[in-house]
Amino acid sequence: MVILTQEEKTDTFPSATLTRSDELTRLIAFRSKIKNSAAPAASTKALKISNALKSCDFLTKSINKRPQGLTNGVNSELHRQTRVFVNVKQDVEGNVEDNVKKNKSINTLKGGGQAASCAEDTGERPLAMPPDDLTDYRLALQGLALPLAYVDLNKLDANIAALMRQTNGLPVRIASKSIRSVAMLRYLLAKTDKLQGVMCFHPQEAAFLAEQGLDDLLVAYPSMQKAAIVSLIPWLKKERRVVLMVDTLEHVMLLDAIGQASSVCFSVCMDIDVSMSLPGLHFGVHRSPINTVDKALSLYQHIKHKHGVKLVGIMGYEAQIAGLGDRVPRQYVKNLAIRGLKKLSIPRVAKRRQDVATALTQAGAKLTFVNGGGTGSLNSTSQDHSVTEMTIGSGFFCPHLFDYYDHLSLAPAAGFALEVVRQPKPSRVTCSGGGYLASGSADAFRAPIPYLPQGLSLDPNEGAGEVQTPLCFQSSASKRESLTLGDAVFFRHAKAGEICERFATLYGIRNGAIEQYFETYRGAGKGFL
Protein backbone atom coordinates (compact mmCIF):
# COMPACT_ATOMS: atom_id res chain seq x y z
CA MET A 1 0.00 0.00 0.00
CA VAL A 2 1.02 3.64 -0.41
CA ILE A 3 1.93 5.20 2.94
CA LEU A 4 1.49 8.97 3.28
CA THR A 5 2.63 11.18 6.11
CA GLN A 6 -0.04 13.33 7.75
CA GLU A 7 1.44 16.38 6.00
CA GLU A 8 1.27 14.62 2.64
CA LYS A 9 -2.31 13.54 3.24
CA THR A 10 -3.23 17.15 3.94
CA ASP A 11 -1.38 18.41 0.90
CA THR A 12 -2.81 15.75 -1.38
CA PHE A 13 -6.43 16.69 -0.78
CA PRO A 14 -6.67 20.49 -1.13
CA SER A 15 -9.70 22.26 0.18
CA ALA A 16 -12.17 23.81 -2.23
CA THR A 17 -11.76 27.12 -0.42
CA LEU A 18 -7.98 27.46 -0.64
CA THR A 19 -6.67 30.70 -2.08
CA ARG A 20 -4.31 30.93 -5.01
CA SER A 21 -1.44 31.64 -2.61
CA ASP A 22 -2.23 28.49 -0.61
CA GLU A 23 -2.34 26.34 -3.73
CA LEU A 24 0.94 27.74 -5.03
CA THR A 25 2.62 27.16 -1.67
CA ARG A 26 1.60 23.50 -1.71
CA LEU A 27 2.71 23.01 -5.30
CA ILE A 28 6.08 24.62 -4.63
CA ALA A 29 6.57 22.36 -1.60
CA PHE A 30 5.86 19.25 -3.66
CA ARG A 31 8.15 20.44 -6.42
CA SER A 32 10.96 20.82 -3.93
CA LYS A 33 10.39 17.30 -2.55
CA ILE A 34 10.47 15.71 -5.99
CA LYS A 35 13.41 17.74 -7.29
CA ASN A 36 15.52 16.74 -4.31
CA SER A 37 14.76 13.02 -4.73
CA ALA A 38 17.88 11.09 -5.69
CA ALA A 39 17.86 9.05 -8.88
CA PRO A 40 20.58 7.88 -11.29
CA ALA A 41 20.87 9.95 -14.44
CA ALA A 42 18.99 8.60 -17.50
CA SER A 43 17.10 6.11 -15.31
CA THR A 44 13.37 5.44 -15.33
CA LYS A 45 13.16 7.07 -11.92
CA ALA A 46 14.89 10.19 -13.22
CA LEU A 47 12.41 10.35 -16.10
CA LYS A 48 9.54 10.07 -13.64
CA ILE A 49 10.95 12.96 -11.63
CA SER A 50 11.44 15.04 -14.78
CA ASN A 51 7.88 14.46 -15.96
CA ALA A 52 6.41 15.21 -12.55
CA LEU A 53 8.37 18.47 -12.40
CA LYS A 54 6.95 19.45 -15.78
CA SER A 55 3.45 18.80 -14.48
CA CYS A 56 4.12 20.87 -11.38
CA ASP A 57 5.54 23.78 -13.37
CA PHE A 58 2.59 23.66 -15.74
CA LEU A 59 0.03 23.80 -12.95
CA THR A 60 1.91 26.57 -11.19
CA LYS A 61 1.91 28.67 -14.35
CA SER A 62 -1.79 27.99 -14.90
CA ILE A 63 -2.71 29.03 -11.36
CA ASN A 64 -0.69 32.22 -11.67
CA LYS A 65 -2.75 33.17 -14.71
CA ARG A 66 -6.07 32.61 -12.97
CA PRO A 67 -7.84 35.11 -10.72
CA GLN A 68 -7.69 34.91 -6.93
CA GLY A 69 -9.92 32.21 -5.47
CA LEU A 70 -9.64 28.90 -7.33
CA THR A 71 -12.69 26.86 -8.25
CA ASN A 72 -13.48 23.32 -7.21
CA GLY A 73 -12.53 22.05 -10.66
CA VAL A 74 -9.01 23.40 -10.43
CA ASN A 75 -8.63 21.96 -6.93
CA SER A 76 -9.82 18.63 -8.28
CA GLU A 77 -7.09 18.76 -10.91
CA LEU A 78 -4.55 19.59 -8.22
CA HIS A 79 -5.84 16.68 -6.19
CA ARG A 80 -5.01 14.33 -9.03
CA GLN A 81 -1.68 15.88 -9.85
CA THR A 82 -0.41 16.13 -6.26
CA ARG A 83 -1.36 12.50 -5.74
CA VAL A 84 0.94 11.71 -8.65
CA PHE A 85 3.72 13.75 -7.06
CA VAL A 86 3.43 11.87 -3.75
CA ASN A 87 3.52 8.49 -5.48
CA VAL A 88 6.51 9.48 -7.59
CA LYS A 89 8.39 10.73 -4.54
CA GLN A 90 7.77 7.51 -2.67
CA ASP A 91 8.64 5.44 -5.73
CA VAL A 92 12.01 7.08 -6.26
CA GLU A 93 12.84 6.79 -2.54
CA GLY A 94 11.96 3.11 -2.47
CA ASN A 95 9.17 3.45 0.10
CA VAL A 96 6.47 1.66 -1.88
CA GLU A 97 5.68 -1.83 -0.67
CA ASP A 98 5.66 -4.75 -3.07
CA ASN A 99 1.92 -5.23 -3.02
CA VAL A 100 1.56 -1.94 -4.92
CA LYS A 101 2.15 -4.16 -7.91
CA LYS A 102 -1.31 -5.69 -7.49
CA ASN A 103 -4.63 -4.13 -8.32
CA LYS A 104 -3.55 -0.55 -7.61
CA SER A 105 -3.74 2.43 -9.89
CA ILE A 106 -2.38 5.94 -9.90
CA ASN A 107 -4.80 8.70 -10.73
CA THR A 108 -2.44 10.11 -13.31
CA LEU A 109 -3.54 11.76 -16.52
CA LYS A 110 -2.31 9.75 -19.45
CA GLY A 111 -3.56 9.19 -22.98
CA GLY A 112 -6.42 11.69 -23.12
CA GLY A 113 -7.00 11.90 -19.40
CA GLN A 114 -7.63 8.19 -18.77
CA ALA A 115 -6.50 6.57 -15.54
CA ALA A 116 -3.67 4.08 -16.06
CA SER A 117 -3.19 0.90 -14.01
CA CYS A 118 0.09 -0.16 -12.46
CA ALA A 119 1.86 -2.91 -14.35
CA GLU A 120 1.31 -6.15 -12.48
CA ASP A 121 4.30 -8.07 -13.82
CA THR A 122 7.09 -5.53 -13.24
CA GLY A 123 5.82 -3.34 -10.44
CA GLU A 124 6.63 -0.27 -12.55
CA ARG A 125 4.36 2.69 -11.97
CA PRO A 126 2.99 4.63 -14.93
CA LEU A 127 5.06 7.74 -15.57
CA ALA A 128 3.60 11.00 -14.30
CA MET A 129 3.20 12.51 -17.74
CA PRO A 130 3.11 16.27 -18.36
CA PRO A 131 -0.49 17.51 -18.50
CA ASP A 132 -2.19 16.53 -21.75
CA ASP A 133 -4.77 18.32 -23.84
CA LEU A 134 -7.68 17.25 -21.67
CA THR A 135 -6.07 18.68 -18.55
CA ASP A 136 -5.08 21.81 -20.43
CA TYR A 137 -8.59 22.47 -21.68
CA ARG A 138 -10.31 21.67 -18.40
CA LEU A 139 -8.05 24.03 -16.51
CA ALA A 140 -8.51 26.86 -18.99
CA LEU A 141 -12.27 26.56 -19.42
CA GLN A 142 -13.24 25.72 -15.85
CA GLY A 143 -16.30 27.68 -14.76
CA LEU A 144 -17.36 28.83 -18.24
CA ALA A 145 -20.86 28.16 -19.53
CA LEU A 146 -21.19 25.22 -21.93
CA PRO A 147 -21.42 24.64 -24.80
CA LEU A 148 -18.52 26.73 -26.09
CA ALA A 149 -15.97 26.73 -28.89
CA TYR A 150 -12.21 26.92 -28.40
CA VAL A 151 -8.94 27.05 -30.30
CA ASP A 152 -5.67 25.63 -29.01
CA LEU A 153 -3.18 28.40 -29.85
CA ASN A 154 -0.13 26.17 -29.49
CA LYS A 155 -1.53 23.77 -32.06
CA LEU A 156 -2.71 26.61 -34.28
CA ASP A 157 0.79 28.08 -34.32
CA ALA A 158 2.24 24.66 -35.13
CA ASN A 159 -0.22 24.27 -38.02
CA ILE A 160 0.68 27.70 -39.39
CA ALA A 161 4.36 26.76 -39.39
CA ALA A 162 3.71 23.35 -40.95
CA LEU A 163 1.55 24.80 -43.72
CA MET A 164 4.00 27.59 -44.53
CA ARG A 165 6.70 24.98 -45.08
CA GLN A 166 4.66 23.58 -47.97
CA THR A 167 4.12 26.82 -49.89
CA ASN A 168 7.46 26.95 -51.72
CA GLY A 169 7.75 30.61 -50.72
CA LEU A 170 4.48 31.70 -52.34
CA PRO A 171 2.24 34.16 -50.50
CA VAL A 172 -0.94 32.71 -49.02
CA ARG A 173 -4.41 34.21 -48.88
CA ILE A 174 -6.58 33.21 -45.89
CA ALA A 175 -9.96 31.68 -46.72
CA SER A 176 -12.34 33.52 -44.41
CA LYS A 177 -15.11 30.92 -44.73
CA SER A 178 -12.88 28.60 -42.71
CA ILE A 179 -12.21 31.23 -40.03
CA ARG A 180 -15.25 33.57 -39.69
CA SER A 181 -13.68 35.77 -37.03
CA VAL A 182 -12.07 39.16 -37.60
CA ALA A 183 -9.89 38.76 -34.51
CA MET A 184 -8.66 35.37 -35.72
CA LEU A 185 -7.94 36.73 -39.19
CA ARG A 186 -5.82 39.43 -37.56
CA TYR A 187 -4.06 36.83 -35.41
CA LEU A 188 -3.15 34.79 -38.49
CA LEU A 189 -2.04 37.76 -40.58
CA ALA A 190 0.23 38.90 -37.75
CA LYS A 191 1.96 35.51 -37.49
CA THR A 192 3.93 35.61 -40.73
CA ASP A 193 4.37 37.92 -43.70
CA LYS A 194 3.65 34.93 -45.97
CA LEU A 195 -0.02 35.34 -45.09
CA GLN A 196 -1.25 38.20 -47.24
CA GLY A 197 -4.85 39.11 -47.89
CA VAL A 198 -8.18 37.39 -47.36
CA MET A 199 -10.36 35.29 -49.64
CA CYS A 200 -13.96 36.23 -48.75
CA PHE A 201 -17.18 34.42 -49.57
CA HIS A 202 -19.65 37.33 -49.92
CA PRO A 203 -19.46 41.00 -50.99
CA GLN A 204 -21.08 42.22 -47.76
CA GLU A 205 -18.52 40.23 -45.80
CA ALA A 206 -15.77 42.01 -47.74
CA ALA A 207 -17.38 45.37 -46.89
CA PHE A 208 -17.51 44.35 -43.23
CA LEU A 209 -13.85 43.32 -43.23
CA ALA A 210 -12.90 46.58 -44.96
CA GLU A 211 -14.77 48.43 -42.22
CA GLN A 212 -12.67 46.53 -39.68
CA GLY A 213 -9.48 47.77 -41.36
CA LEU A 214 -8.57 44.72 -43.46
CA ASP A 215 -7.39 45.13 -47.04
CA ASP A 216 -6.53 43.02 -50.10
CA LEU A 217 -9.86 41.20 -50.21
CA LEU A 218 -10.75 38.68 -52.94
CA VAL A 219 -14.44 37.72 -53.03
CA ALA A 220 -14.15 34.21 -54.45
CA TYR A 221 -17.81 33.60 -55.24
CA PRO A 222 -19.96 35.57 -57.72
CA SER A 223 -23.00 37.49 -56.53
CA MET A 224 -26.04 38.87 -58.30
CA GLN A 225 -27.16 40.82 -55.22
CA LYS A 226 -27.01 44.49 -56.23
CA ALA A 227 -27.22 45.82 -52.66
CA ALA A 228 -24.35 43.60 -51.55
CA ILE A 229 -22.16 44.81 -54.40
CA VAL A 230 -23.09 48.45 -53.79
CA SER A 231 -21.96 48.09 -50.15
CA LEU A 232 -18.37 47.86 -51.43
CA ILE A 233 -18.40 51.16 -53.31
CA PRO A 234 -17.49 53.43 -50.34
CA TRP A 235 -14.43 51.27 -49.69
CA LEU A 236 -13.39 51.22 -53.32
CA LYS A 237 -13.52 55.01 -53.33
CA LYS A 238 -11.22 54.92 -50.29
CA GLU A 239 -8.82 52.85 -52.44
CA ARG A 240 -9.27 49.60 -50.56
CA ARG A 241 -8.22 46.65 -52.71
CA VAL A 242 -11.30 44.49 -53.29
CA VAL A 243 -11.62 42.04 -56.20
CA LEU A 244 -14.91 40.40 -57.25
CA MET A 245 -15.36 37.04 -59.01
CA VAL A 246 -16.92 36.52 -62.44
CA ASP A 247 -17.36 33.53 -64.72
CA THR A 248 -20.18 34.58 -67.06
CA LEU A 249 -21.35 37.58 -69.03
CA GLU A 250 -24.25 38.26 -66.62
CA HIS A 251 -21.79 38.85 -63.79
CA VAL A 252 -19.81 41.26 -65.92
CA MET A 253 -22.87 43.19 -67.11
CA LEU A 254 -24.21 43.68 -63.57
CA LEU A 255 -20.87 44.91 -62.22
CA ASP A 256 -20.31 47.17 -65.19
CA ALA A 257 -23.74 48.80 -64.78
CA ILE A 258 -23.23 49.38 -61.04
CA GLY A 259 -19.69 50.59 -61.57
CA GLN A 260 -20.54 53.12 -64.26
CA ALA A 261 -23.53 54.41 -62.27
CA SER A 262 -21.30 54.89 -59.22
CA SER A 263 -18.21 56.18 -61.04
CA VAL A 264 -16.06 53.25 -59.93
CA CYS A 265 -14.31 50.47 -61.81
CA PHE A 266 -14.59 47.04 -60.24
CA SER A 267 -11.52 44.85 -60.31
CA VAL A 268 -12.57 41.32 -61.23
CA CYS A 269 -11.06 37.83 -61.17
CA MET A 270 -12.07 35.14 -63.65
CA ASP A 271 -12.89 31.75 -62.11
CA ILE A 272 -11.45 28.94 -64.23
CA ASP A 273 -12.83 25.41 -63.93
CA VAL A 274 -9.92 22.97 -63.56
CA SER A 275 -11.96 19.81 -63.00
CA MET A 276 -11.02 16.70 -64.96
CA SER A 277 -13.59 15.02 -67.18
CA LEU A 278 -13.10 11.41 -68.22
CA PRO A 279 -15.50 9.08 -70.04
CA GLY A 280 -18.29 8.44 -67.55
CA LEU A 281 -16.59 10.41 -64.77
CA HIS A 282 -16.40 14.09 -63.77
CA PHE A 283 -13.54 14.36 -61.26
CA GLY A 284 -14.04 17.75 -59.65
CA VAL A 285 -16.81 20.23 -58.90
CA HIS A 286 -19.52 21.99 -60.88
CA ARG A 287 -18.94 25.73 -60.61
CA SER A 288 -17.45 27.89 -63.34
CA PRO A 289 -18.38 27.21 -66.99
CA ILE A 290 -14.96 28.55 -68.07
CA ASN A 291 -13.12 25.28 -68.75
CA THR A 292 -11.21 26.09 -71.95
CA VAL A 293 -8.89 28.80 -73.20
CA ASP A 294 -11.44 29.85 -75.84
CA LYS A 295 -14.17 30.41 -73.23
CA ALA A 296 -11.80 32.46 -71.09
CA LEU A 297 -10.82 34.61 -74.06
CA SER A 298 -14.46 35.09 -75.06
CA LEU A 299 -15.40 36.40 -71.62
CA TYR A 300 -12.33 38.61 -71.54
CA GLN A 301 -13.33 40.28 -74.80
CA HIS A 302 -16.53 41.45 -73.09
CA ILE A 303 -14.64 42.68 -70.04
CA LYS A 304 -12.05 44.42 -72.18
CA HIS A 305 -14.56 46.84 -73.66
CA LYS A 306 -16.36 47.74 -70.41
CA HIS A 307 -15.64 50.87 -68.37
CA GLY A 308 -17.02 49.61 -65.05
CA VAL A 309 -14.88 46.47 -64.76
CA LYS A 310 -11.30 45.41 -65.37
CA LEU A 311 -9.72 41.95 -65.24
CA VAL A 312 -6.87 41.74 -62.74
CA GLY A 313 -6.58 38.04 -61.94
CA ILE A 314 -7.66 34.46 -62.47
CA MET A 315 -8.44 31.70 -60.01
CA GLY A 316 -8.16 28.00 -60.74
CA TYR A 317 -9.06 26.00 -57.64
CA GLU A 318 -8.42 22.26 -57.88
CA ALA A 319 -11.15 21.12 -55.47
CA GLN A 320 -10.71 17.48 -56.52
CA ILE A 321 -7.19 17.59 -55.06
CA ALA A 322 -7.32 20.20 -52.32
CA GLY A 323 -10.72 19.27 -50.89
CA LEU A 324 -10.98 15.51 -51.25
CA GLY A 325 -9.61 13.09 -48.67
CA ASP A 326 -7.69 10.06 -49.90
CA ARG A 327 -6.99 8.25 -46.65
CA VAL A 328 -10.55 7.75 -45.43
CA PRO A 329 -11.13 4.87 -42.97
CA ARG A 330 -12.76 1.72 -44.35
CA GLN A 331 -12.44 2.92 -47.95
CA TYR A 332 -9.17 1.29 -49.02
CA VAL A 333 -10.05 0.65 -52.66
CA LYS A 334 -11.71 4.06 -53.08
CA ASN A 335 -8.67 5.75 -51.52
CA LEU A 336 -6.39 4.08 -54.06
CA ALA A 337 -8.66 5.22 -56.89
CA ILE A 338 -8.76 8.81 -55.62
CA ARG A 339 -4.97 8.96 -55.28
CA GLY A 340 -4.63 7.68 -58.82
CA LEU A 341 -7.11 10.25 -60.13
CA LYS A 342 -5.34 13.03 -58.23
CA LYS A 343 -2.01 12.02 -59.74
CA LEU A 344 -3.59 12.07 -63.19
CA SER A 345 -5.32 15.41 -62.55
CA ILE A 346 -2.40 17.44 -61.15
CA PRO A 347 -0.53 18.05 -64.45
CA ARG A 348 -3.81 18.76 -66.26
CA VAL A 349 -4.77 21.38 -63.68
CA ALA A 350 -1.40 23.09 -64.01
CA LYS A 351 -1.54 23.06 -67.82
CA ARG A 352 -5.04 24.60 -67.94
CA ARG A 353 -4.11 27.38 -65.52
CA GLN A 354 -0.91 28.09 -67.40
CA ASP A 355 -2.61 28.05 -70.82
CA VAL A 356 -5.40 30.40 -69.70
CA ALA A 357 -2.99 32.81 -67.99
CA THR A 358 -0.73 32.90 -71.05
CA ALA A 359 -3.61 33.39 -73.50
CA LEU A 360 -5.20 36.20 -71.47
CA THR A 361 -1.88 37.98 -71.10
CA GLN A 362 -1.24 37.76 -74.84
CA ALA A 363 -4.76 39.13 -75.43
CA GLY A 364 -3.89 42.22 -73.41
CA ALA A 365 -5.05 41.37 -69.89
CA LYS A 366 -2.87 42.83 -67.17
CA LEU A 367 -3.04 40.07 -64.59
CA THR A 368 -1.70 40.92 -61.15
CA PHE A 369 -2.25 37.47 -59.66
CA VAL A 370 -3.08 33.84 -60.41
CA ASN A 371 -4.68 32.11 -57.43
CA GLY A 372 -4.77 28.37 -56.92
CA GLY A 373 -4.76 25.56 -54.43
CA GLY A 374 -5.96 24.85 -50.93
CA THR A 375 -4.88 23.04 -47.80
CA GLY A 376 -4.93 19.62 -49.45
CA SER A 377 -2.97 20.59 -52.57
CA LEU A 378 -0.18 22.86 -51.36
CA ASN A 379 2.64 20.57 -52.47
CA SER A 380 1.40 20.26 -56.05
CA THR A 381 0.00 23.78 -56.50
CA SER A 382 3.23 25.39 -55.29
CA GLN A 383 5.06 23.66 -58.17
CA ASP A 384 2.88 25.35 -60.81
CA HIS A 385 5.00 28.24 -62.10
CA SER A 386 1.92 30.18 -63.23
CA VAL A 387 0.51 30.43 -59.69
CA THR A 388 1.45 33.61 -57.82
CA GLU A 389 -0.55 32.98 -54.62
CA MET A 390 -2.31 30.13 -52.85
CA THR A 391 -5.18 29.92 -50.40
CA ILE A 392 -5.39 28.14 -47.04
CA GLY A 393 -8.39 27.95 -44.74
CA SER A 394 -9.31 24.68 -43.02
CA GLY A 395 -5.71 23.66 -42.44
CA PHE A 396 -5.25 26.24 -39.70
CA PHE A 397 -7.89 24.64 -37.45
CA CYS A 398 -7.60 21.11 -38.91
CA PRO A 399 -11.16 19.81 -38.52
CA HIS A 400 -11.42 16.04 -38.57
CA LEU A 401 -12.07 15.74 -42.33
CA PHE A 402 -8.45 16.82 -42.78
CA ASP A 403 -7.22 13.76 -40.91
CA TYR A 404 -7.88 11.80 -44.09
CA TYR A 405 -5.31 13.28 -46.48
CA ASP A 406 -2.17 11.52 -47.61
CA HIS A 407 0.98 13.61 -47.06
CA LEU A 408 -0.83 16.00 -44.69
CA SER A 409 -0.19 15.93 -40.97
CA LEU A 410 -1.74 18.70 -38.87
CA ALA A 411 -2.88 19.07 -35.25
CA PRO A 412 -6.55 19.37 -34.22
CA ALA A 413 -6.45 23.01 -33.15
CA ALA A 414 -10.14 23.89 -32.73
CA GLY A 415 -13.28 22.30 -31.41
CA PHE A 416 -16.22 22.70 -29.09
CA ALA A 417 -17.14 21.48 -25.61
CA LEU A 418 -20.46 20.04 -24.48
CA GLU A 419 -21.67 19.37 -20.97
CA VAL A 420 -22.58 15.90 -19.72
CA VAL A 421 -26.14 16.21 -18.39
CA ARG A 422 -27.37 12.60 -18.25
CA GLN A 423 -26.13 9.06 -17.75
CA PRO A 424 -28.89 6.70 -18.88
CA LYS A 425 -26.74 3.61 -18.23
CA PRO A 426 -23.15 2.89 -17.14
CA SER A 427 -21.98 2.57 -20.76
CA ARG A 428 -23.58 5.84 -21.91
CA VAL A 429 -23.52 9.54 -21.17
CA THR A 430 -25.63 12.22 -22.80
CA CYS A 431 -24.41 15.75 -23.60
CA SER A 432 -26.44 18.90 -24.10
CA GLY A 433 -26.34 20.18 -27.70
CA GLY A 434 -23.97 18.91 -30.35
CA GLY A 435 -25.95 18.66 -33.58
CA TYR A 436 -23.46 20.77 -35.50
CA LEU A 437 -23.29 18.90 -38.79
CA ALA A 438 -21.06 20.08 -41.61
CA SER A 439 -22.16 21.04 -45.10
CA GLY A 440 -21.54 18.82 -48.09
CA SER A 441 -22.76 15.43 -49.22
CA ALA A 442 -24.76 13.72 -46.47
CA ASP A 443 -22.59 11.01 -44.96
CA ALA A 444 -21.30 9.93 -41.58
CA PHE A 445 -18.15 12.01 -41.93
CA ARG A 446 -20.14 15.27 -41.75
CA ALA A 447 -20.92 14.66 -38.09
CA PRO A 448 -18.70 15.99 -35.30
CA ILE A 449 -16.66 13.42 -33.40
CA PRO A 450 -15.95 13.20 -29.64
CA TYR A 451 -12.26 13.96 -29.14
CA LEU A 452 -11.51 14.11 -25.41
CA PRO A 453 -11.68 12.15 -23.19
CA GLN A 454 -10.58 9.38 -25.52
CA GLY A 455 -12.66 6.27 -25.94
CA LEU A 456 -16.03 7.87 -26.69
CA SER A 457 -18.13 7.61 -29.85
CA LEU A 458 -21.47 8.86 -31.14
CA ASP A 459 -24.41 6.55 -30.67
CA PRO A 460 -24.88 4.92 -34.11
CA ASN A 461 -28.66 5.25 -33.94
CA GLU A 462 -28.93 8.85 -32.71
CA GLY A 463 -25.72 10.55 -33.85
CA ALA A 464 -25.23 14.21 -32.95
CA GLY A 465 -28.63 15.41 -31.79
CA GLU A 466 -30.44 18.70 -32.18
CA VAL A 467 -30.41 19.44 -28.43
CA GLN A 468 -28.70 16.39 -26.93
CA THR A 469 -26.00 13.97 -28.02
CA PRO A 470 -25.66 10.49 -26.47
CA LEU A 471 -22.15 9.02 -26.35
CA CYS A 472 -20.98 5.43 -25.94
CA PHE A 473 -17.92 4.26 -24.03
CA GLN A 474 -15.73 2.29 -26.40
CA SER A 475 -13.44 0.67 -23.86
CA SER A 476 -12.95 -0.02 -20.18
CA ALA A 477 -10.22 2.64 -20.18
CA SER A 478 -12.71 5.36 -21.07
CA LYS A 479 -15.05 4.16 -18.33
CA ARG A 480 -12.29 4.74 -15.79
CA GLU A 481 -12.27 8.39 -16.81
CA SER A 482 -15.47 8.48 -14.71
CA LEU A 483 -17.38 11.21 -16.47
CA THR A 484 -19.93 12.75 -14.15
CA LEU A 485 -22.78 15.18 -14.69
CA GLY A 486 -21.40 18.64 -15.40
CA ASP A 487 -18.14 17.41 -16.97
CA ALA A 488 -17.09 18.68 -20.38
CA VAL A 489 -16.59 16.49 -23.42
CA PHE A 490 -14.54 18.02 -26.24
CA PHE A 491 -15.50 17.49 -29.88
CA ARG A 492 -13.99 18.16 -33.29
CA HIS A 493 -16.14 19.54 -36.10
CA ALA A 494 -15.96 18.10 -39.60
CA LYS A 495 -15.22 21.52 -41.12
CA ALA A 496 -13.44 24.58 -39.87
CA GLY A 497 -15.34 27.84 -40.03
CA GLU A 498 -18.88 26.52 -39.84
CA ILE A 499 -18.66 25.97 -36.09
CA CYS A 500 -18.24 29.73 -35.71
CA GLU A 501 -21.79 30.17 -36.97
CA ARG A 502 -22.89 28.42 -33.76
CA PHE A 503 -20.83 30.35 -31.21
CA ALA A 504 -20.20 34.02 -30.47
CA THR A 505 -16.67 33.48 -29.15
CA LEU A 506 -13.67 31.26 -29.73
CA TYR A 507 -11.72 30.85 -26.49
CA GLY A 508 -8.01 30.92 -27.30
CA ILE A 509 -6.23 28.48 -24.97
CA ARG A 510 -2.51 28.27 -24.35
CA ASN A 511 -0.84 26.17 -21.66
CA GLY A 512 -3.92 25.70 -19.51
CA ALA A 513 -5.13 29.31 -19.55
CA ILE A 514 -7.26 31.50 -21.78
CA GLU A 515 -4.89 33.83 -23.61
CA GLN A 516 -7.29 35.56 -25.99
CA TYR A 517 -10.98 35.86 -26.86
CA PHE A 518 -11.86 35.75 -30.56
CA GLU A 519 -15.24 37.19 -31.46
CA THR A 520 -16.83 35.31 -34.36
CA TYR A 521 -18.99 36.74 -37.13
CA ARG A 522 -21.97 35.54 -35.12
CA GLY A 523 -20.67 37.34 -32.05
CA ALA A 524 -20.45 40.51 -34.12
CA GLY A 525 -24.07 40.04 -35.22
CA LYS A 526 -23.09 39.18 -38.79
CA GLY A 527 -24.45 36.42 -40.99
CA PHE A 528 -23.68 36.66 -44.69
CA LEU A 529 -25.05 33.38 -46.06
Side-chain angles (χ1 to χ4, degrees), residues 233-275:
I233 291 174
W235 303 106
L236 296 176
K237 290 183 175 181
K238 293 180 180 179
E239 298 187 349
R240 293 292 176 86
R241 177 172 167 77
V242 182
V243 180
L244 298 176
M245 194 63 62
V246 298
D247 63 34
T248 190
L249 180 59
E250 286 80 2
H251 300 152
V252 174
M253 296 295 288
L254 177 61
L255 291 174
D256 180 57
I258 297 173
Q260 292 200 52
S262 306
S263 300
V264 299
C265 183
F266 288 104
S267 296
V268 298
C269 175
M270 188 184 299
D271 190 1
I272 309 300
D273 176 52
V274 291
S275 300

Side-chain angles (χ1 to χ4, degrees), residues 94-108:
N95 291 333
V96 181
E97 297 183 5
D98 290 341
N99 64 0
V100 163
K101 302 174 186 178
K102 302 177 182 179
N103 304 321
K104 296 288 183 180
S105 65
I106 292 179
N107 197 11
T108 183

Side-chain angles (χ1 to χ4, degrees), residues 148-151 179-185 208-209 212 397 496-507 517-528:
L148 58 75
Y150 69 92
V151 58
I179 305 299
R180 306 196 197 203
S181 164
V182 175
M184 180 56 71
L185 289 172
F208 170 64
L209 295 181
Q212 302 302 310
F397 288 168
E498 291 181 20
I499 195 61
C500 292
E501 297 291 346
R502 294 280 186 168
F503 297 96
T505 303
L506 283 172
Y507 291 90
Y517 299 87
F518 298 91
E519 183 182 62
T520 66
Y521 285 179
R522 174 171 177 160
K526 302 297 181 180
F528 303 106

